[in-house]
Amino acid sequence: MRTSEQLYHQVRWDPRFDPARFTLGLLQRGAAPKRVPLPSFVPGGDIPWHRVLFVEADGELVWDRARGLDLIDSTTAGRVRGRRLLPEPFFTARTPHAWDPAGGAWRPVQAGPAAHPPARVRLLTCGTATTPRASPPPGAGRCCWRSWRRPTPM
């Protein structure tokens, strides 16, 4: 029988499984087990792995520590039902924006080479589930901001 941590990572990263269809049963002292959706569980967070008592998929028990039950490979519960593909087009190109420190706002970038390349480049990746560290450009939604320094020539 695999551990709760091994089961979590298999469901989370194996393309055969849909993590949104799984629920973890967590031990609460002096109370009934708390059911938590697998995608909202934070591995290495406040809840240790030994508190995971059971795992359900589509309401069916697929793993239980107390009974020694491990049915994840023999059941169809929690499996991906259809191909998960993004609809066409995958993304729509938009006008790039740059921060204007003088104006204190995001401004559309004009086409053409930069007269003075910046010493520091800020990379914006959208579509991640993190909170922005600064105000995003218009229409960017929730984004992840990272600052990168320009490599020094050797």
Side-chain angles (χ1 to χ4, degrees):
M1 184 170 128
R2 72 195 92 204
T3 66
S4 56
E5 183 177 10
Q6 290 169 334
L7 181 76
Y8 170 85
H9 288 295
Q10 179 177 0
V11 170
R12 185 79 174 102
W13 303 111
D14 190 333
R16 298 176 299 160
F17 299 107
D18 183 359
R21 297 171 61 195
F22 283 82
T23 305
L24 302 176
L26 304 175
L27 173 68
Q28 290 184 312
R29 294 182 185 133
K34 179 181 179 182
R35 286 177 162 77
V36 175
L38 187 130
S40 66
F41 181 78
V42 179
D46 294 337
I47 302 167
W49 289 112
H50 68 270
R51 292 258 179 106
V52 178
L53 299 176
F54 60 86
V55 178
E56 295 175 339
D58 300 330
E60 179 183 327
L61 189 66
V62 295
W63 185 89
D64 189 334
R65 180 188 312 273
R67 296 183 202 165
L69 184 70
D70 188 352
L71 302 175
I72 193 74
D73 293 322
S74 62
T75 183
T76 58
R79 302 285 175 141
V80 173
R81 292 186 178 149
R83 295 181 66 192
R84 293 186 285 180
L85 297 177
L86 295 173
E88 295 287 340
F90 296 119
F91 67 91
T92 304
R94 295 187 177 178
T95 305
H97 286 67
W99 181 255
D100 178 15
W106 288 96
R107 306 271 184 238
V109 175
Q110 301 300 322
H116 303 288
R120 188 175 175 155
V121 176
R122 181 165 283 183
L123 174 68
L124 170 68
T125 59
C126 291
T128 59
T130 59
T131 306
R133 295 184 185 145
S135 62
R142 294 182 68 174
C143 298
C144 176
W145 295 75
R146 291 200 170 83
S147 295
W148 300 93
R149 294 201 185 277
R150 170 178 271 208
T152 55
M154 297 188 146

